[in-house]
Amino acid sequence: MMPGPLPVAPLRVVLRTLRRSADLEWWRVPALIAVLLAAAAAGVVGPLAIGAVVDRARASDVAADARLVWILGAVMAAAVVVGAVLGAVGVVASSALCERTLAVIRERMVEAAFALPQERVEAAGTGDLVARAGDDVAEVSDAVPRVVPALVGALFTIVVTVVGMTAIDPWYGLATLVIVPLHVFAVRRYLRTAPQVYAAERAAMSERAQHLLEALRGIGTVRAYGLQGPLGARVAKASWQVVRWTMRARGIQNVFFARLNGAEYAGMAALLVTGFVLVSTGLGTLGGATAAILLFIRLFGPINQLLFVVDDLQSALASLGRMIGVIDAAADAPEPTVSAAPSEGGTAAPAGDGTVDTDGWRMTGVSYAYADGPEVVRDVTLEVAPGETVALVGASGAGKSTLAAIAAGIHHPSRGDVARPPAVALVTQEVHVFDGSLRENLTLAAPDADDVALRAALEAVGGDGILARLPEGLAEPVGASGTVLLAAEAQQVALARVLLKDPGAVVLDEATAEAGSADAGVLDAAADAAVRGRTALVIAHRLSQAARADRVVLMDAGRVVEAGSHAELVARGGRYARLWEAWRAAPGDAGA
């Protein structure tokens, strides 16, 4: 298992991914550039026209001057309209291009998140993935409307304006360059610290999300054991860590903006001195100096806008790096052996530890350890023949669920080989009912199934009572925002999904564990329906389930200590036989 958070893609990978994601729209780029250049050129007309008016004001032909003013006024008005229209078209088109590119990356990230091995997600902490899919996607989506107009408008405006100033007189173009080293200094100092601060801020948000998610998921346990104080302190500590990094980022921003203002003052002073020298020596005109100053003032907005969004851009790039890191993590993961039936704890997965060459399971010398901990499965060799049902029993912590996860492909053994069926469904006791109708919850496993098939699947697992209880039947909204299904009903829905998906093999990891004594018989029958005709590995919560299996495997401390049919193990008088007698003697519904 790979410990630690999911990777963050470096800048070169982010830029490469952005370029590749935008390749589908490449044909729009030349037209977009032409529109933006035309819009920037229209913006230069006004200052140049005002400069011409100033020069003509010194002439004696008042009538000619009046005509020129009207002509230049009309040209300026037309330029404003044309520039506004073309600028709006350019910004909208470029924003749309960026939004489509971002949509492609978001979709790829979601697909990658589902493709990640569950053990990789668990090692990183689900809060990390949730923060990337939530906070980081929101950060990039919010930044696009601010960054894209600034970038596409400012870059073209700056280039065209500097060219216009140089056309008036090369000295004005040279004087403008005085701001370049000041801006370079400001940006370099900013980039020296800002990216690391933003990355740390996003990481702190992920840690906060992880603590919040853990507390909310275990809210029942938190209340039962009075853990509100310790967990609240942990969340508060993580939240203050976010505050510290956020305040540090704001401080870096303020220093950056102060340096930008200093560059503006220096640039204006350089142009005023240059204009004074040129006009006083007769090498330039007052109108030319006026036009140059107006053009430079016109640069204030685009330059500052461009540099201001460096802040947003850095934050967005940090979030993009985290999003694309998920894509890279999925690309580096072992290829999945099959697409399995939707599991209640993840997808059935990637193998890389064995080959799919059997309709049953074959595990040889399998061992597994979580992260740097001790081995929880030790040198297990187990074969499940096609069509056979094998029940795993043992005390809590014996390694049953870990072995089931290895069988389903969720975990990969630290040592040993695994061959598994080409289609495996996993149902755990942590079943999930999605927000939506009951029909939508069932068709997740079989999108093309009609209502007749859905009802038949529910009836097969004893869930016809669900339909009778819900006023709208299959159309009834269920889940957190609808009718809440009982624990046993949620398990029946999960088992009905298995029937609808119809995989060749199924792993039931205490899939009926939530049933009380009143529901035990119903859910045992539902589990029997789910495994009938399939190769099955069942983690038995009740020994009554084990008794109906073809073979029983007793585990202890991660090892297989007994194996055989129920009758054979009872007759042998060993550890399983003692468990069986104790279970039969226990009042009510006993567990293994």
Side-chain angles (χ1 to χ4, degrees), residues 139-514:
E139 179 68 27
V140 176
S141 297
D142 291 343
V144 166
R146 298 191 299 269
V147 172
V148 173
L151 287 177
V152 300
L155 288 174
F156 286 96
T157 299
I158 291 169
V159 170
V160 172
T161 302
V162 171
V163 170
M165 293 175 68
T166 304
I168 296 173
D169 193 295
W171 284 108
Y172 291 125
L174 290 174
T176 307
L177 296 180
V178 73
I179 66 174
V180 172
L182 298 177
H183 281 151
V184 169
F185 172 77
V187 172
R188 288 188 64 179
R189 292 298 297 268
Y190 176 78
L191 295 180
R192 184 179 301 174
T193 54
Q196 295 86 347
V197 171
Y198 282 115
E201 183 184 25
R202 308 311 306 173
M205 289 180 176
S206 291
E207 185 176 355
R208 180 183 60 185
Q210 176 69 22
H211 290 314
L212 282 171
L213 197 61
E214 289 175 350
L216 292 174
R217 281 182 171 175
I219 191 167
T221 303
V222 171
R223 289 174 176 170
Y225 290 93
L227 300 177
Q228 294 93 330
L231 284 178
R234 186 184 301 174
V235 172
K237 181 179 179 181
S239 298
W240 276 111
Q241 191 70 6
V242 173
V243 170
R244 280 192 288 270
W245 283 113
T246 301
M247 294 304 297
R248 184 173 176 185
R250 298 298 85 80
I252 293 172
Q253 289 175 11
N254 291 336
V255 173
F256 178 56
F257 295 156
R259 288 170 176 158
L260 297 185
N261 290 334
E264 289 178 1
Y265 300 144
M268 181 64 75
L271 278 176
L272 288 172
V273 170
T274 301
F276 174 78
V277 171
L278 291 176
V279 173
S280 62
T281 58
L283 297 176
T285 66
L286 185 59
T290 301
I293 294 295
L294 290 175
L295 286 172
F296 184 74
I297 292 175
R298 181 175 178 270
L299 280 181
F300 281 8
I303 289 179
N304 286 341
Q305 189 179 20
L306 178 62
L307 295 178
F308 284 175
V309 298
V310 168
D311 181 67
D312 293 325
L313 183 61
Q314 285 298 313
S315 185
L317 287 175
S319 292
L320 273 173
R322 288 165 51 79
M323 293 168 61
I324 294 171
V326 177
I327 300 174
D328 289 348
D332 294 338
E335 289 293 325
T337 59
V338 292
S339 175
S343 74
E344 303 303 319
T347 57
D353 47 56
T355 58
V356 182
D357 59 357
T358 177
D359 290 331
W361 275 280
R362 188 167 60 249
M363 305 183 199
T364 306
V366 168
S367 297
Y368 184 83
Y370 289 95
D372 297 326
E375 288 185 339
V376 293
V377 172
R378 303 176 184 178
D379 196 27
V380 170
T381 295
L382 175 65
E383 186 166 345
V384 182
E388 182 183 25
T389 297
V390 171
L392 292 178
V393 299
S396 177
K400 306 185 302 297
S401 292
T402 301
L403 188 63
I406 293 172
I410 300 300
H411 294 327
H412 308 303
S414 308
R415 292 184 290 111
D417 297 313
V418 177
R420 64 176 61 89
V424 182
L426 169 66
V427 183
T428 73
Q429 67 184 82
E430 297 178 357
V431 296
H432 185 71
V433 178
F434 295 88
D435 271 356
S437 67
L438 179 60
R439 179 185 292 109
E440 290 169 334
N441 266 270
L442 292 169
T443 53
L444 285 171
D448 298 328
D450 57 21
D451 287 358
V452 174
L454 301 183
R455 290 191 179 92
L458 281 174
E459 291 172 3
V461 297
D464 44 334
I466 301 175
L467 292 173
R469 186 173 75 85
L470 301 180
E472 298 182 44
L474 290 171
E476 179 82 8
V478 295
S481 301
T483 300
V484 177
L485 298 183
L486 304 176
E489 291 174 335
Q491 290 172 324
Q492 287 171 319
V493 169
L495 293 170
R497 289 183 188 136
V498 174
L499 296 182
L500 290 166
K501 186 67 177 180
D502 194 23
V506 62
V507 176
L508 302 184
D509 184 2
E510 297 190 348
T512 62
E514 293 297 327

Side-chain angles (χ1 to χ4, degrees), residues 81-128:
V81 173
V82 171
V85 171
L86 292 180
V89 170
V91 168
V92 170
S94 57
S95 297
L97 175 62
C98 291
E99 288 287 2
R100 283 190 289 268
T101 301
L102 179 59
V104 170
I105 293 176
R106 280 198 302 260
E107 291 171 4
R108 288 182 61 193
M109 189 201 73
V110 172
E111 292 173 357
F114 283 117
L116 281 172
Q118 184 169 326
E119 63 177 344
R120 184 67 183 96
V121 176
E122 291 174 352
T126 51
D128 186 22

